[in-house]
């Protein structure tokens, strides 16, 4: 068992013929992910990866022909909102948007729309999903994680890789890794994923990687205290970030003391979560 | 991206929001001329992209054109929170009966825009919110439906606005919503929105924050960015699509991904060092971008060592290595450099850097320790 994706996932890639789309499709297929289709408007009828994956003009056509049940989006920011609307309208139940730099107001419209449709969106501005040994949807390097019983959920991209890699180095594996993305408005938050891990039999422990800005970590702490039976270890990035400065992620901004790393760490520790001083300390806290 | 008051108010005016007559001036003479045109009392307001101008003495009332010239001259020599005043706004002075706070901003928790109003405007709104939260009225706007008229009326009623002003207030609310939406604002704020003694609503002050990610569809706004108000290195970084913030330490950091970049800073500090900057080269950066990043880091004379921490995913380590080599050729750095490459094409990257005379590290902690030691010399 795992959450969100597994070897039966039938993946569609939006923006499959672009540079990033093609590179990462190759990686996902090499990992063993069942990539059934790609979409690039105007390139329907072509094939990529030596004739292995058919390209369609629209998500609707791709779903009809291949029964795709998950979509990963690699299109540029200005086209990404439309790609998310299109996937939702075509009946894709799980959408993973890798694209970074999507305007916030677009994301508010997307999020409110897909919530009405009952669609699950991961991201945007995220590394995607990895169920080691089964499937990867997105850009997490496959070779940095092995199958195991640790569920990983993170707002960051490369920082997540650090953690997976640190786990692997000590022989610990992951059930599923979920990168929820660092934008202020995204599709899935910590609580959504914590709940899935709590109910997943393969997951025995959970790692939560947060960062400054917003209140998602505080809400996660409340949820953990009230509902989680599995142990949770956390790391919060941005402990030295100066207040009021925007540290790249549109979401990682602290105004005054609200959203500071210290506040989040306090809230998590109060909920019984062990908080690591740096990412490589996480494996020892899980033991 | 922050807009100046005069820029924000010009946008508001386009959307039918009443603003005082006035213009921006860069010299005392210009201010005098504007005051003469306006006639009567004027307000001279420093145009800097920080809050607290009034308390710093950057906002003054002049009774005539001569006094306007004198006060503008004074304000134009001021520095407010580290920013020199380069321009002043000269507005006709309003006869204020009452001050209202009014804004629209993004509510990330609700995932919707929120319209905020308070009858206790003018003063520091955060203080009102902290001490008397019941005086702050909030109404969420469905981003798919837009602002509805009844919502504006609800706000007007909640802040006890006299009924004869409700229609004008609704027009201002509709204008503020359109200004927020059309310009991809993160904040569109009027503080204060005043009721004048002759019972009219006027936006005396204005502030807009624009979503940087949306500037691709607002070339007109991108053009009016006031680059004088930011560190030159930050302007240069933005030109290359890099996310950069200058800090006070001596260890330059170049990292891919914002979370990992913050973590690298945290861990440098944990091991007794001080980061000189936050720098995220972003996902999928090519050699050219990496070279630009390196030039920016090395241009800071405080930098005594550089830490490269690259965990390849969408970014390929060999591309980063090529960028490092290009920049080294050009800049000929004299400070020690610690490099850690992991992930996509890390092996190829390490090979490229084999003869570059860099300190290598395996883990993040190892890299940070070595960088801290190298900076100490």
């Amino acid at each position: 068992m795992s959450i969100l994706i597994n070897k039966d996932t039938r993946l569609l890639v939006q923006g499959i013929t672009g540079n990033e789309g093609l590179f990462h499709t190759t990686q996902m297929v090499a990992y063993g992910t069942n990539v059934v289709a790609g979409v690039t408007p105007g390139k329907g009828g072509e094939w990529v990866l030596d004739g292995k994956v058919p390209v369609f003009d629209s998500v609707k056509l791709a779903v009809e022909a291949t029964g795709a049940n998950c979509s990963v989006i690699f299109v540029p920011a200005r086209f990404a909102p439309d790609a998310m609307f299109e996937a939702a309208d075509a009946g894709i139940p799980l959408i993973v948007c890798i694209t970074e730099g999507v305007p916030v107001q677009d994301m508010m419209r997307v999020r409110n729309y897909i919530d009405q449709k009952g669609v699950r969106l991961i991201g945007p501005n995220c590394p995607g999903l990895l169920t080691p040994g089964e499937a990867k949807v997105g850009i997490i390097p496959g070779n940095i994680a092995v199958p195991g019983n640790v569920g990983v959920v993170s707002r960051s991209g490369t920082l997540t890789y650090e953690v997976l890699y640190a786990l692997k180095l000590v022989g610990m594996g992951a059930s599923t890794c979920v990168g929820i993305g660092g934008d202020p408005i995204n599709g899935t938050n910590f609580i959504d994923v914590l709940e899935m891990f709590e109910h997943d039999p393969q997951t025995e422990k959970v790692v939560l990687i947060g960062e400054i800005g917003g209140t998602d970590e505080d809400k996660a702490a409340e949820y953990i205290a009230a509902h989680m039976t599995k142990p949770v270890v956390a790391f919060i990035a941005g402990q030295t970030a100066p207040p009021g400065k925007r540290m790249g992620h549109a979401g990682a901004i602290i105004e005054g003391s609200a959203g500071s790393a210290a506040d989040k760490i306090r809230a998590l520790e109060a909920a019984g979560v062990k908080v690591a001083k740096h990412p490589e300390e996480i494996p020892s806290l899980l033991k | 991206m922050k807009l100046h008051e005069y820029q924000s108010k010009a946008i508001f005016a386009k959307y039918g929001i009443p603003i005082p007559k006035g213009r921006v001036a860069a010299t005392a003479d210009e201010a005098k001329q504007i005051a003469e045109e306006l006639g009567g009392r004027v307000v001279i307001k420093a145009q800097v992209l920080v809050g607290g101008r009034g308390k710093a003495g950057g906002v003054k009332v002049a009774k005539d054109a001569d006094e306007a010239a004198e006060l503008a001259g004074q304000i134009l020599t001021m520095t407010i929170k580290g920013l020199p005043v380069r321009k002043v706004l000269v507005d006709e002075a309003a006869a204020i009966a009452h001050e209202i706070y009014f804004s629209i901003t993004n509510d990330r928790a609700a995932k919707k825009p929120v319209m905020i109003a308070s009858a206790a405007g003018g003063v520091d709104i955060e203080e009102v919110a902290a001490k008397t939260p019941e005086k702050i009225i909030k109404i969420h706007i469905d981003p798919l439906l837009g602002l509805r008229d009844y919502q504006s009326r609800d706000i007007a009623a909640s802040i006890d606005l006299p009924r004869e002003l409700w229609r004008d207030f609704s027009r201002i609310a509709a204008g503020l919503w359109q200004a927020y939406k059309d310009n991809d604002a993160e904040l569109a704020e009027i503080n204060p929105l005043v009721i004048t003694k002759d019972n009219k609503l006027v936006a005396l002050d204005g502030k807009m924050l624009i979503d940087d990610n949306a500037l691709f569809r607002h070339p007109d706004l991108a053009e009016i960015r006031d680059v004088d108000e930011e560190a030159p290195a930050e302007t240069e970084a933005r030109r290359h699509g890099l996310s950069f913030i200058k800090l006070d330490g001596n260890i330059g950091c170049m990292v891919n991904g914002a979370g990992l970049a913050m973590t690298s800073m945290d861990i440098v500090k944990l091991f007794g060092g001080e980061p000189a900057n936050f720098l995220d080269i972003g996902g999928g950066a090519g050699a050219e971008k990496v070279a630009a990043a390196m030039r920016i880091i090395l241009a800071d004379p405080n930098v005594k060592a550089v830490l490269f921490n690259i965990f390849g995913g969408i970014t390929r380590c060999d591309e980063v290595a090529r960028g490092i080599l290009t920049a080294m050729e050009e800049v000929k750095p004299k400070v020690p450099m610690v490099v850690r490459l992991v992930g996509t094409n890390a092996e190829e990257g390490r090979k490229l850097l084999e003869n570059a005379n860099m300190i290598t590290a395996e883990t993040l902690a190892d890299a940070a320790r070595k960088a801290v030691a190298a900076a100490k010399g």
Side-chain angles (χ1 to χ4, degrees):
Chain A
M1 281 285 285
S2 56
I3 65 167
L4 294 164
I5 56 163
N6 57 34
K7 58 185 186 330
D8 299 323
T9 297
R10 299 177 63 78
L11 184 66
L12 163 90
V13 181
Q14 289 176 260
I16 195 165
T17 56
N19 266 342
E20 300 304 336
L22 202 54
F23 177 81
H24 289 286
T25 302
T26 311
Q27 305 273 320
M28 290 188 286
V29 168
Y31 195 74
T33 312
N34 187 17
V35 178
V36 297
V39 168
T40 298
K43 297 208 170 167
E46 294 181 14
W47 291 76
V48 294
L49 268 63
D50 302 323
K52 281 198 211 83
V53 181
V55 181
F56 296 85
D57 281 322
S58 74
V59 177
K60 185 164 176 279
L61 291 171
V63 170
E64 281 167 5
T66 66
N69 59 10
C70 177
S71 174
V72 62
I73 295 173
F74 282 104
V75 306
R78 63 183 69 194
F79 308 118
D82 197 57
M84 289 183 261
F85 284 124
E86 186 186 357
D89 281 344
I92 298 268
L94 175 62
I95 304 169
V96 180
C97 184
I98 306 302
T99 310
E100 69 178 287
V102 181
V104 182
Q105 289 201 19
D106 281 327
M107 276 318 300
M108 291 197 281
R109 288 185 280 267
V110 168
R111 176 65 198 265
N112 281 272
Y113 186 76
I114 62 155
D115 279 358
Q116 290 168 14
K117 292 237 158 195
V119 170
R120 160 114 8 243
L121 170 69
I122 309 282
N125 190 13
C126 80
L129 308 167
L130 177 69
T131 293
E134 296 200 33
K136 80 161 185 156
V137 172
I139 61 174
I140 301 173
N143 60 357
I144 59 169
V146 291
N149 61 9
V150 182
V152 178
V153 58
S154 171
R155 263 171 77 184
S156 164
T158 47
L159 176 53
T160 317
Y161 310 165
E162 285 289 354
V163 175
L164 289 173
Y165 188 60
L167 292 174
K168 183 187 172 183
L169 288 180
V170 298
M172 295 174 101
S175 53
T176 299
C177 173
V178 183
I180 59 173
D183 279 2
I185 312 269
N186 59 10
T188 294
N189 62 25
F190 282 128
I191 294 180
D192 300 324
V193 182
L194 289 173
E195 195 175 359
M196 289 183 234
F197 281 140
E198 176 68 15
H199 295 117
D200 173 41
Q202 188 192 328
T203 304
E204 289 173 17
K205 304 161 186 180
V206 176
V207 175
L208 180 151
I209 303 156
E211 59 185 47
I212 52 170
T215 53
D216 268 14
E217 290 81 359
D218 308 73
K219 287 182 189 148
E222 285 171 30
Y223 179 85
I224 291 164
H227 302 288
M228 292 283 290
T229 58
K230 300 176 182 178
V232 181
V233 170
F235 174 74
I236 303 293
Q239 298 174 35
T240 55
K245 287 281 190 180
R246 192 169 286 243
M247 295 285 161
H249 275 179
I253 181 164
I254 28 175
E255 289 137 292
S257 69
S260 74
D263 280 0
K264 289 168 193 282
I265 291 169
R266 241 192 318 276
L268 287 163
E269 284 180 339
V273 175
K274 288 182 195 160
V275 182
K277 285 197 186 63
H278 61 87
E280 286 154 349
E281 200 186 65
I282 290 173
S284 64
L285 296 180
L286 280 169
K287 277 176 189 158
Chain B
M1 164 184 152
K2 290 180 185 170
L3 294 186
H4 281 295
E5 175 193 3
Y6 75 93
Q7 296 168 327
S8 307
K9 274 157 61 175
I11 291 173
F12 291 168
K14 269 197 264 173
Y15 289 88
I17 298 171
I19 60 166
K21 277 192 202 127
R23 279 210 328 270
V24 79
T27 65
D29 282 349
E30 276 174 40
K32 182 176 179 180
Q33 199 189 331
I34 296 166
E36 273 166 1
E37 284 167 27
L38 294 172
R41 286 173 2 117
V42 292
V43 188
I44 318 283
K45 305 170 91 175
Q47 299 296 291
V48 281
L49 296 177
V50 288
R53 292 174 307 173
K55 283 173 195 159
V59 178
K60 298 221 163 88
V61 180
K63 61 182 187 305
D64 56 30
D66 285 332
E67 197 183 6
E70 188 191 325
L71 293 174
Q74 286 170 17
I75 293 173
L76 283 164
T77 60
M78 286 174 66
T79 297
I80 299 177
K81 294 186 185 166
L83 291 173
V85 180
R86 293 183 174 88
K87 294 182 208 101
V88 292
L89 176 62
V90 184
D91 266 358
E92 62 182 0
I96 301 167
H98 187 73
E99 296 184 314
I100 295 162
Y101 174 88
F102 192 34
S103 72
I104 300 177
T105 189
N106 304 334
D107 183 341
R108 56 192 285 179
K111 323 228 177 271
K112 287 184 168 100
V114 60
M115 188 167 252
I116 306 171
S118 174
V123 291
D124 199 349
I125 189 68
E126 282 90 1
E127 202 177 305
V128 177
K131 289 188 182 148
T132 47
E134 70 281 1
K135 287 188 181 164
I136 307 276
I137 310 299
K138 293 181 187 169
I139 291 188
H140 285 103
I141 300 167
D142 185 325
L144 300 170
L145 279 180
L147 177 72
R148 311 309 307 174
D149 267 348
Y150 81 87
Q151 295 181 303
S152 307
R153 287 195 299 273
D154 283 355
I155 291 251
S158 307
I159 58 170
D160 296 325
L161 196 72
R163 283 211 174 122
E164 65 268 26
L165 290 174
W166 284 13
R167 185 171 299 198
D168 286 346
F169 181 81
S170 283
R171 271 194 214 114
I172 290 171
L176 193 66
W177 165 251
Q178 280 304 322
Y180 160 88
K181 183 168 168 274
D182 291 357
N183 296 289
D184 274 287
E186 293 177 325
L187 171 73
E189 181 183 77
I190 305 174
N191 187 32
L193 172 67
V194 301
I195 305 175
T196 59
K197 287 192 173 141
D198 54 354
N199 218 23
K200 290 199 170 65
L201 287 167
V202 181
L204 275 205
D205 200 348
K207 185 176 182 182
M208 285 184 92
L209 293 179
I210 308 296
D211 180 357
D212 282 314
N213 285 339
L215 286 176
F216 68 83
R217 57 188 172 209
H218 305 291
D220 49 327
L221 293 176
E223 215 162 87
I224 63 169
R225 183 194 288 273
D226 192 346
V227 293
D228 288 340
E229 302 271 300
E230 56 189 15
E234 289 177 16
T235 311
E236 178 68 8
R238 199 183 44 253
R239 214 165 57 78
H240 293 282
L242 301 160
S243 185
F244 173 86
I245 293 168
K246 183 168 171 0
L247 301 168
D248 300 329
N250 61 6
I251 298 176
C253 300
M254 183 166 106
V255 188
N256 63 323
L260 189 56
M262 285 190 283
T263 302
S264 302
M265 290 160 49
D266 292 349
I267 198 164
V268 159
K269 198 143 181 170
L270 186 68
F271 289 121
E274 285 289 338
N277 64 277
F278 164 90
L279 196 158
D280 170 16
I281 58 170
E288 207 176 300
K289 204 165 164 181
V290 171
M294 206 160 138
R295 281 193 293 270
I296 290 167
I297 291 175
L298 292 169
D300 179 353
N302 292 338
V303 168
K304 295 285 176 277
V306 184
L307 168 63
F308 299 89
N309 185 29
I310 304 297
F311 209 122
I314 207 161
T315 305
R316 299 167 210 175
C317 292
D318 54 333
E319 275 291 306
V320 173
R322 266 183 218 107
I324 294 175
L325 290 175
T326 308
M328 281 175 79
E329 195 115 312
E330 206 180 297
V331 189
K332 308 239 186 298
K334 290 176 189 68
V335 298
M337 299 199 272
V338 180
V339 64
R340 171 173 181 256
L341 300 175
V342 196
T344 311
N345 296 357
E347 210 42 58
E348 291 89 328
R350 275 184 221 128
K351 272 208 190 88
L352 283 167
L353 294 180
E354 233 163 34
N355 301 317
N357 192 27
M358 298 174 93
I359 304 163
T360 58
E362 288 294 317
T363 66
L364 179 52
D366 182 35
R369 258 187 228 109
K370 283 176 174 163
V372 172
K376 282 177 182 153

